[in-house]
Amino acid sequence: MSYFQRLIMNTLTFVALAVLLPNMVHVRSIVMALVASFVLSILNALIKPILSIISFPLTLLTFGLFSFVINALMLNLTSTFVGAANFGFSSFGAAILVALIMSVINMIVTEHNIEKYTR
């Protein structure tokens, strides 16, 4: 999947989750969702690898479940950079739930792309 396809997919996921979970996820507009998706991609490229290396022992002890906490931290950091009035979560638990849902959506879309190219 190309970078722009992932960017659009994350944008649509943010908008859909804001509609489905209005008490947990706040997105002011689709433009803010696109900005948040872009900021998230930059943070995932720059900061997430460092956090993943530092937290590797804890991730190993929790059989990988701590990676959802790291993803939630990335989402909260995105909310900080974009601005909580434009994009945010009601709590850290909401960010963990969004991280879980986004992981499942990314897995489904990536799995679909793998099947498409291996036929």
Side-chain angles (χ1 to χ4, degrees):
M1 179 180 326
S2 74
Y3 173 75
F4 293 109
Q5 288 173 333
R6 187 172 300 273
L7 200 68
I8 296 300
M9 185 189 66
N10 285 340
T11 301
L12 293 175
T13 302
F14 286 147
V15 171
L17 288 175
V19 170
L20 293 173
L21 306 170
N23 294 330
M24 299 174 87
V25 182
H26 169 70
V27 178
R28 176 174 253 168
S29 66
I30 195 160
V31 174
M32 283 298 118
L34 183 62
V35 169
S37 182
F38 179 71
V39 170
L40 180 64
S41 70
I42 291 173
L43 291 174
N44 280 341
L46 298 177
I47 296 175
K48 188 176 178 182
I50 296 167
L51 285 177
S52 295
I53 290 170
I54 290 171
S55 67
F56 181 71
L58 193 53
T59 303
L60 208 61
L61 282 174
T62 61
F63 299 109
L65 293 177
F66 193 73
S67 63
F68 292 118
V69 174
I70 294 172
N71 289 340
L73 285 171
M74 292 293 100
L75 287 170
N76 273 339
L77 200 55
T78 300
S79 172
T80 302
F81 283 124
V82 174
N86 298 319
F87 176 80
F89 306 98
S90 62
S91 65
F92 189 70
I96 289 177
L97 179 64
V98 169
L100 177 68
I101 293 170
M102 287 185 73
S103 295
V104 169
I105 291 171
N106 283 325
M107 182 181 64
I108 290 169
V109 171
T110 304
E111 178 84 14
H112 180 263
N113 281 339
I114 290 172
E115 288 179 6
K116 184 171 84 172
Y117 292 115
T118 56
R119 288 184 198 172

